[in-house]
Amino acid sequence: MRPLLSCVILLAHAISANAQLDLRPHYFKAGGIIGRAYFADGDKKYAVTLDSETQLSEADGGALFRFTNVPQATMLLRNTPLPKVLPFDEASLPEYLKAAQALLPRLAVEATLDAQAANVLPINKWRTYRFVFSYQIAGSQVKESITFLNLDDGQQIVVQTGSRKNAFDGIASRADDIIRRWHEMLPGSENELN
């Protein structure tokens, strides 16, 4: 029986390691008032803090943040499109670049890679790799970053931030600030406001 129990434990661990975080926004409600926004990972809940100029909604199975005071400025959180989490090393970076390019809008033209950098969000023992692109879409100059973020050894999400080129630096800073304030919600903190 011991080998069977060991197999069941290993299988359960493998399944949980490959489980994807539910990045659709959820909200706690108290007394008819919508409270904190959070994402679910099994029994764990992770909250983000939003300001009054940021709207959060579901999009493509993930979370879309609209920066309402800047036209066409968004951040999208989604699970990785890669079948497994790869290391951020020289051998794997071409696969990450290909995946990042595939996430750009289909109507983007003249896309160029402007920059790339490792560990752009050095918190919570996270590992990250970011690609920054410029392109044109419908006559507008757009800049977009695509960041692969390893929450742990088995979970990777993608943070995709874009805006018109002239507003990008400010939008990228706001988006990174939201991600930096990502935190696990402890019991009793559900009714706090964003």
Side-chain angles (χ1 to χ4, degrees), residues 30-46:
I33 297 173
I34 295 177
R36 310 239 19 218
Y38 70 92
F39 307 111
D41 184 11
D43 291 337
K44 291 184 179 180
K45 295 174 177 61
Y46 295 98

Side-chain angles (χ1 to χ4, degrees), residues 20-28 36-50 56-59 61-65 75-79 151 157 178-179 181-185:
Q20 291 191 328
L21 182 65
D22 181 1
L23 289 172
R24 295 170 300 151
H26 302 273
Y27 298 91
F28 282 102
R36 310 239 19 218
Y38 70 92
F39 307 111
D41 184 11
D43 291 337
K44 291 184 179 180
K45 295 174 177 61
Y46 295 98
V48 291
T49 303
L50 305 176
L56 176 59
S57 61
E58 182 180 346
L64 179 65
F65 297 77
M75 176 177 71
L76 177 64
L77 297 183
R78 66 173 98 203
N79 284 295
L151 296 170
I157 64 171
I178 289 171
I179 298 301
R181 289 184 277 148
W182 171 293
H183 61 280
E184 185 175 353
M185 292 183 69

